[in-house]
Amino acid sequence: MRTVNVRTLAAALLICLCFGSIHAYGVLLAPVELWLGTSRTVASMGYAIAVAALTAGVYLNGHVEALLGPQLRLAACGILAALGLIIAGGTASTAGLLLGFGLMYGLANGIAYAMSLGIAAGAMPGREAQAMGLATATYGLGAVLCAQLFNAALGHVHVAVILLVLAPLILAVCALGAALVQGDKRSGPYSTKGIPQATPRPLLFLWFSYLLGAFSGLMVLAHAPAIAVWRDGGPTQAGLVSSAVSMGSVAGGYLGGVFAERVPGPRGVALPLLVQAGALASLPLMSGLAPIAAALGLAGLCYGVLIAVVPAEVRRIGGPQAFAQNYGRVFTAWGIAGVAGPVTAGYLYDITLGYGAALAAAAALSLCSCLFIMCVGK
């Protein structure tokens, strides 16, 4: 087995850990609303735009990879992200938040995240799926850690200070990452000459499967604390349930990479999706903190497996040279699910005054995702 390039792998994991902070925005939501004197809907738009821009960044990375090496792309990501966070924290305006955090930081985040997967895969030859799973898990871990840090900091500093302090930290991590990958030819850039412009048929099936699987997962995970309160009451359970879901997702990210190597192909993700469907379908029948937290944590783990195994499948189907472009295309499914999934669950709750319909729909979508995943290999 070939040796691991520790420097390059460290660069990828540092990037993921730091840029995972974008998904800790939920902790900042209420303070941002109060600071800007705006509505919860407008404050939420900061993250919605960031998700859309992140998706665009992942897609864009595949088209600039042949033009810019990893050092230049990381430098550009660091500068763009830092400027965006300075605008978001320094202008004290809704426009500054949407432009700086939403558009600029989101776009830089997507490019950096997509880069980190390719860099990690190049650092562990022969264990690429495991490497990408590790990077995915670290990205999720960054969100969990930053949520805790942001929450602790809010007791002492203004929310704007958090955004302003994050800016130089992101810039420093990108500079360090660029230094660590310098001279590593395996991390790019790849030539796009000879790469098919049409999306291979298996990737189309994978795209639709990813859409359904991520949609169902995010429908539930975004509302997990509220689902726990709906089933068993007691708002004090929300923090515990949220932690169970978050850590389940992080663990699933790593296990998904290992699982993709042990069971490559569509079967590797079919079982976790079936388990997810069962967990979601059983939730309306449960009561008590322990089984509810366990079921939601299991759903989080299955979602983590899904988002880790998809890049491994993309690389297996299209090869390493076309990975950035192909993953950019497939990742648009996650972008759609990330925006529409939580909103759909909220809408179903509003019209039914409960989460039963949302859970049933999510379970059905998970089963449909299994069918399309199995079609990938045919």
Side-chain angles (χ1 to χ4, degrees), residues 305-331:
V305 170
L306 177 67
I307 63 174
V309 79
V310 165
E313 278 295 284
V314 171
R315 187 181 175 93
R316 183 186 69 85
I317 293 169
Q321 189 171 2
F323 171 74
Q325 283 196 19
N326 285 335
Y327 186 60
R329 295 165 180 169
V330 172
F331 192 80

Side-chain angles (χ1 to χ4, degrees), residues 74-181:
L74 280 174
C77 285
I79 293 170
L80 181 62
L83 287 176
L85 290 168
I86 290 171
I87 290 172
T91 59
S93 68
T94 300
L97 174 73
L98 301 184
L99 173 64
F101 185 90
L103 183 61
M104 296 174 68
Y105 185 40
L107 185 65
N109 200 290
I111 296 174
Y113 173 64
M115 280 188 63
S116 70
L117 294 179
I119 291 171
M124 295 179 64
R127 289 182 287 170
E128 292 86 356
Q130 184 177 346
M132 289 189 286
L134 182 60
T136 301
T138 305
Y139 189 65
L141 181 61
V144 174
L145 293 178
C146 285
Q148 299 300 318
L149 291 173
F150 291 170
N151 190 54
L154 285 170
H156 305 281
V157 300
H158 194 275
V159 63
V161 174
I162 294 176
L163 296 173
L164 292 173
V165 169
L166 187 59
L169 179 61
I170 292 280
L171 187 61
V173 166
C174 286
L176 178 59
L180 289 174
V181 301

Side-chain angles (χ1 to χ4, degrees), residues 84 123 130 137 147 170-171 182 207 224 226 272 289 302 360 367:
Q130 184 177 346
I170 292 280
L171 187 61
Q182 187 174 10
W207 182 93
L289 175 60
C302 292
L367 289 175

Side-chain angles (χ1 to χ4, degrees), residues 5-358:
N5 188 322
V6 177
R7 281 168 51 99
T8 304
L9 182 62
L13 298 185
L14 278 173
I15 294 164
C16 286
L17 189 68
C18 199
F19 276 97
S21 59
I22 196 170
H23 298 295
Y25 182 77
V27 176
L28 307 179
L29 181 59
V32 164
E33 177 187 357
L34 181 64
W35 170 43
L36 298 180
T38 187
S39 67
R40 181 63 57 92
T41 300
V42 172
S44 299
M45 286 297 294
Y47 184 66
I49 292 174
V51 168
L54 189 157
T55 305
V58 174
Y59 182 83
L60 182 62
N61 178 66
H63 295 272
V64 300
E65 184 184 46
L67 303 175
L68 299 175
Q71 292 83 18
L72 288 178
R73 275 181 290 155
L74 280 174
C77 285
I79 293 170
L80 181 62
L83 287 176
L85 290 168
I86 290 171
I87 290 172
T91 59
S93 68
T94 300
L97 174 73
L98 301 184
L99 173 64
F101 185 90
L103 183 61
M104 296 174 68
Y105 185 40
L107 185 65
N109 200 290
I111 296 174
Y113 173 64
M115 280 188 63
S116 70
L117 294 179
I119 291 171
M124 295 179 64
R127 289 182 287 170
E128 292 86 356
Q130 184 177 346
M132 289 189 286
L134 182 60
T136 301
T138 305
Y139 189 65
L141 181 61
V144 174
L145 293 178
C146 285
Q148 299 300 318
L149 291 173
F150 291 170
N151 190 54
L154 285 170
H156 305 281
V157 300
H158 194 275
V159 63
V161 174
I162 294 176
L163 296 173
L164 292 173
V165 169
L166 187 59
L169 179 61
I170 292 280
L171 187 61
V173 166
C174 286
L176 178 59
L180 289 174
V181 301
Q182 187 174 10
D184 182 12
K185 293 180 171 53
R186 291 175 296 184
S187 61
Y190 285 118
S191 171
T192 58
K193 184 177 180 180
I195 296 177
Q197 294 305 305
T199 303
R201 182 173 178 271
L203 287 180
L204 294 175
F205 282 108
L206 183 60
W207 182 93
F208 201 74
S209 176
Y210 196 21
L211 173 66
L212 297 180
F215 198 102
S216 64
L218 292 169
M219 278 182 68
V220 174
L221 301 185
H223 292 259
I227 291 172
V229 173
W230 169 69
R231 283 307 306 149
D232 202 51
T236 55
Q237 299 175 357
L240 176 61
V241 170
S242 180
S243 297
V245 169
S246 298
M247 295 313 298
S249 179
V250 171
Y254 178 72
L255 292 176
V258 175
F259 195 54
E261 289 189 349
R262 300 293 187 272
V263 189
R267 290 180 301 170
V269 76
L271 179 58
L273 281 168
L274 284 173
V275 173
Q276 176 174 281
L280 299 180
S282 65
L283 270 167
L285 307 176
M286 292 182 176
S287 61
L289 175 60
I292 290 172
L296 288 169
L298 183 59
L301 185 141
C302 292
Y303 170 77
V305 170
L306 177 67
I307 63 174
V309 79
V310 165
E313 278 295 284
V314 171
R315 187 181 175 93
R316 183 186 69 85
I317 293 169
Q321 189 171 2
F323 171 74
Q325 283 196 19
N326 285 335
Y327 186 60
R329 295 165 180 169
V330 172
F331 192 80
T332 57
W334 182 91
I336 296 171
V339 173
V343 174
T344 301
Y347 173 75
L348 291 174
Y349 176 85
D350 287 338
I351 63 176
T352 63
L353 300 180
Y355 281 104

